[in-house]
Amino acid sequence: MCGIAGGVWEGSDVVAASRQLHSSLALLVQRGPDDEGRDILLFRNRVVALAQRRLSVIDLSAAGHQPMWTTDGRFALVFNGEIYNYRELRRELEALGRMFRSHSDTEVLLQAWCEWGEAALPRLTGMFAFIVFDRLTGQLHGARDAFGIKPLYYCMSGRDFCFASEVPALQALSARKPDLDWQTAYDYLAHGSYDTGSRTFLRDVHGLPAGCCFLYDVAGGQFSQRAWWSPTIAPVQRLSLDDAAQEFRRLLLDSVRLHLRSDVPGGAALSGGLDSSAIVGCMRHLEPDVPIHTFSFIAKGSAVCEERWVDMVNAQVGAVAHKVSIAPEELLTDLDDMIAAQGEPVGSTSIYAQYRVFRLAREHGTIVTLDGQGADELCGGYVGYPGPRLRSLIDEGQWAQALDFLRAWGKWPGRNPMDGLKAAVAELVGDGAYQLLRRLNGAGPVPAWLDGNVLHEAGVSLQFPRPMSAVTAPGRRMCAELARSLHGVGLPALLRHGDRNSMRFSVESRVPFLTTSLSDFLLTLPEEYLVSATGETKHLLRRAMRGLVPDEVLNRRDKIGFATPERDWLMQMAPQVRDWLQAPLDLPFFRQDEVLKAFDQVVAGSRPFSWQVWRWINFARWHAHQFGG
């Protein structure tokens, strides 16, 4: 687990490149506090630079130093992440005649690239973002793991090309002053939509999409990109529910077994919900006698407190529990640091709870944690995706079953049958009708605190985001939506939060649910295995984890996660927040007088509290940090 940076520049000014690289690496020190490496060379009158900061997790010796070169000096690799099946791949490569000098997964990745090129990517079980320089062809190859667990940003200016693990480190490599991307800012502020594609909050700064690889020709300056993996929703597997649960259990246990490989102390982030509890249960099943340390946020005295469930799981597996509670003044103290660590705005204070959990882990000497992220998207979680599930039933002419599902779905806590019906209608109508229905439902695309005319004149699309799945089929609408959420709205933002929060404290966060084998299995099952006919979410996961997770947790009908008492915190922080919101941002489209008016109404209780308040705060503080406002 590390941070990488580098680039290609016109000319032969190695000194300038070295200076930029030094500044970039300084911003990545918490991603890799154990080692630093850099190589700068000339190729056809162009400077090529590769650099890495290392957090040592597998093979702690100097043999894992990067950039790592092949013995013939042709290929060089800088790599962020872990290849969990590196032992199996090494044996396969040794059988093909490959020789190894270390016990690191980095060298396995380098040798795999030498042997198979891009064909190595589907063979990798892991999280990764890496760059390979081929000195013979003068090409840079880059790739990101199937789910985008590890980040990789890039920008191009003329024929110059830069890359880095984080946006601030990327900016240090470029002479251009960044500009705010108004479309991204609007989507975030008005609709809470962010991390939905390659665009970032900064114009001309791009994130390599999950499951993609690229080729950059150093001499010619040409860049090309393609997807090497995408989710599959068909053909449907005809397994019985019990057989599917048994296979799911086997696949998840195998994934957790691989994710436990480490040469440093490990533990688990435990919220008390089903997903993280499943990971902890699998850990105990696989390692009956190994101490397990869990790290949890506890919202003391709040309706969203999950301490009961956390204690229940810890008691069953015999874990050593570590807990953290948060006072509002702590959020005030840490907010700017968390926003700086994230690099871009985030959606709610639950990200701060996660930030504190990773700080807690590091304080107790834990360097690797396992997490339940991704289970909602693969197993049919959240509120059960009622819209696409109903559409699937209607596709197949099962009108009676659709009506029964809607009634049963609406009986679960926190749900309303009318919400399910609205979701189904939204699935069935065209885009124009969808935009109209959103307006009729009382939501406008431009709130009073944004200037729609200014945004429109700047070319910003002022409408409700409606991301569509790249793959769909009649009767598979819910699985198509799950596949879309892996690479679209939802999971990418959650993975960014987890990566930056864990790396802020030099902790490696691993997510065993997110493997291509689990995705290819789960998304090709009958949809009713994931969300049952009665509206039960994660139906198969609950069945597969019997005996590993307390029944009380498996039978839970609510979903909380690292939720925080946001409104209570806001009331106690209101004076400081108001000062932040009235600090001039000098953005023509952001009407701060209207923001302050709305904020005062929320504090006074005359306007409902929503996550919108935290979007204002996050954006204002991030903008001040980014642009010096």
Side-chain angles (χ1 to χ4, degrees):
M1 182 61 63
C2 311
I4 62 175
V8 179
W9 296 274
E10 290 281 13
S12 57
D13 193 343
V14 173
V15 174
S18 179
R19 186 166 53 247
Q20 289 174 290
L21 211 56
H22 176 78
S23 298
S24 180
L25 287 177
L27 296 170
L28 296 173
V29 64
Q30 288 162 326
R31 295 190 74 93
D34 300 328
D35 188 24
E36 175 185 320
R38 65 184 82 176
D39 283 327
I40 302 176
L41 59 145
L42 294 175
F43 183 89
R44 296 184 186 176
N45 297 318
R46 306 198 77 197
V47 177
V48 178
L50 302 172
Q52 189 241 24
R53 292 209 64 113
R54 184 185 182 199
L55 174 65
S56 301
V57 173
I58 293 175
D59 189 352
L60 310 186
S61 73
H65 178 79
Q66 298 180 38
M68 183 177 286
W69 289 84
T70 53
T71 53
D72 62 4
R74 175 177 174 179
F75 293 101
L77 168 71
V78 285
F79 162 48
N80 168 30
E82 300 289 352
I83 307 300
Y84 303 120
N85 64 333
Y86 73 100
R87 295 175 186 169
E88 292 78 4
L89 288 173
R90 176 174 175 143
R91 288 194 291 269
E92 187 176 354
L93 289 162
E94 286 176 330
L96 294 171
R98 292 280 168 182
M99 306 291 289
F100 288 83
R101 299 167 290 173
S102 74
H103 298 285
S104 70
D105 60 331
T106 302
E107 188 177 11
V108 171
L109 175 58
L110 179 59
Q111 293 278 27
W113 188 269
C114 294
E115 184 69 31
W116 298 307
E118 285 186 9
L121 295 173
R123 297 171 178 261
L124 306 175
T125 299
M127 52 182 183
F128 54 83
F130 66 83
I131 302 288
V132 174
F133 175 56
D134 185 341
R135 189 147 57 178
L136 179 63
T137 63
Q139 294 175 329
L140 281 177
H141 300 267
R144 196 172 177 203
D145 66 71
F147 302 94
I149 306 166
K150 291 293 102 185
L152 185 59
Y153 295 94
Y154 69 90
C155 65
M156 299 183 69
S157 177
R159 286 174 11 108
D160 290 349
F161 174 80
C162 304
F163 66 87
S165 294
E166 295 185 7
V167 171
L170 181 69
Q171 291 176 237
L173 296 169
S174 175
R176 293 179 59 181
K177 184 178 179 180
D179 295 319
L180 177 69
D181 187 309
W182 283 22
Q183 181 69 59
T184 305
Y186 162 77
D187 290 340
Y188 168 78
L189 287 166
H191 306 298
S193 177
Y194 61 104
D195 286 345
T196 60
S198 64
R199 293 178 80 152
T200 69
F201 282 81
L202 299 179
R203 195 178 302 159
D204 299 324
V205 172
H206 305 280
L208 183 68
C212 284
C213 56
F214 74 78
L215 172 66
Y216 178 78
D217 182 71
V218 172
Q222 291 90 19
F223 177 91
S224 61
Q225 173 185 302
R226 72 173 188 87
W228 68 265
W229 183 83
S230 58
T232 299
I233 64 171
V236 180
Q237 300 183 70
R238 299 302 177 186
L239 294 173
S240 70
L241 181 60
D242 286 338
D243 287 345
Q246 184 176 353
E247 179 63 7
F248 182 23
R249 181 177 175 127
R250 184 191 70 78
L251 287 170
L252 183 57
L253 283 169
D254 186 57
S255 179
V256 172
R257 176 183 62 81
L258 290 177
H259 281 70
L260 286 171
R261 288 178 171 173
S262 172
D263 294 332
V264 296
L270 176 63
S271 71
L274 174 57
D275 309 341
S276 60
S277 299
I279 296 300
V280 172
C282 288
M283 291 170 67
R284 174 52 73 220
H285 179 78
L286 291 163
E287 297 183 339
D289 302 317
V290 174
I292 296 177
H293 290 256
T294 64
F295 304 93
S296 306
F297 163 69
I298 306 299
K300 288 285 189 182
S302 168
V304 296
C305 181
E306 296 211 84
E307 188 168 21
R308 171 195 172 195
W309 309 104
V310 167
D311 289 346
M312 195 179 296
V313 174
N314 282 327
Q316 173 154 318
V317 303
V320 180
H322 307 278
K323 303 174 183 178
V324 62
S325 295
I326 299 170
E329 57 268 23
E330 294 177 283
L331 174 57
L332 272 174
T333 300
D334 292 335
L335 185 63
D336 278 354
D337 183 75
M338 184 196 75
I339 290 173
Q342 285 293 320
E344 297 181 272
V346 296
S348 75
T349 55
S350 65
I351 292 95
Y352 178 61
Q354 184 190 61
Y355 168 100
R356 290 296 300 274
V357 165
F358 285 121
R359 177 196 286 179
L360 180 69
R362 189 68 193 201
E363 289 171 349
H364 287 275
T366 296
I367 297 174
V368 170
T369 63
L370 271 62
D371 194 297
Q373 201 67 265
D376 282 300
E377 289 76 12
L378 286 176
C379 300
Y382 300 118
V383 295
Y385 299 87
R389 182 68 192 117
L390 284 165
R391 185 180 177 187
S392 283
L393 291 169
I394 293 170
D395 282 342
E396 297 175 333
Q398 299 183 38
W399 291 90
Q401 291 91 330
L403 185 58
D404 289 343
F405 175 84
L406 182 60
R407 290 197 192 102
W409 178 89
K411 293 178 181 178
W412 287 71
R415 303 181 191 172
N416 184 316
M418 184 56 66
D419 292 334
L421 183 60
K422 288 179 180 177
V425 171
E427 280 285 317
L428 293 167
V429 300
D431 192 61
Y434 174 82
Q435 298 294 329
L436 177 61
L437 288 171
R438 290 295 300 265
R439 288 176 170 84
L440 293 175
N441 197 40
V446 184
W449 40 268
L450 291 179
D451 191 321
N453 291 328
V454 172
L455 289 166
H456 178 72
E457 289 172 4
V460 174
S461 175
L462 303 176
Q463 58 182 348
F464 298 98
R466 194 190 187 193
M468 306 296 288
S469 178
V471 292
T472 191
R476 303 297 295 164
R477 308 298 185 176
M478 189 187 79
C479 284
E481 179 63 14
L482 295 176
R484 184 207 57 76
S485 69
L486 292 175
H487 285 174
V489 175
L491 185 63
L494 296 173
L495 291 174
R496 192 250 286 184
H497 303 156
D499 173 80
R500 305 307 189 282
N501 278 336
S502 60
M503 287 285 90
R504 167 63 183 83
F505 301 105
S506 304
V507 172
E508 175 173 293
S509 175
R510 299 178 173 183
V511 282
F513 277 106
L514 293 178
T515 67
T516 55
S517 58
L518 276 166
S519 175
D520 291 342
F521 174 70
L522 289 165
L523 297 190
T524 54
L525 290 173
E527 291 189 344
E528 62 269 23
Y529 287 11
L530 304 180
V531 177
S532 75
T534 63
E536 182 183 60
T537 61
K538 303 176 190 171
H539 184 53
L540 189 70
L541 176 60
R542 297 172 195 269
R543 182 174 290 244
M545 291 295 102
R546 294 289 172 189
L548 301 186
V549 175
D551 284 346
E552 294 89 341
V553 174
L554 295 176
N555 295 335
R556 285 186 65 176
R557 296 168 68 90
D558 60 341
K559 176 178 175 59
I560 298 177
F562 283 144
T564 56
E566 290 191 294
R567 191 183 184 284
D568 295 341
W569 287 359
L570 176 68
M571 293 302 105
Q572 298 180 59
M573 296 168 54
Q576 176 63 74
V577 169
R578 199 178 197 285
D579 286 345
W580 285 337
L581 293 179
Q582 67 183 1
L585 298 185
D586 297 322
L587 283 173
F589 65 83
F590 194 60
R591 304 171 71 174
Q592 287 183 262
D593 56 336
E594 290 292 336
V595 169
L596 288 168
K597 177 181 174 182
F599 175 76
D600 289 341
Q601 291 171 344
V602 170
V603 173
S606 59
R607 183 188 183 108
F609 171 81
S610 74
W611 283 1
Q612 181 62 70
V613 176
W614 291 104
R615 291 203 292 271
W616 292 334
I617 297 169
N618 271 271
F619 183 78
R621 297 310 299 156
W622 170 81
H623 192 277
H625 183 271
Q626 175 67 48
F627 297 103

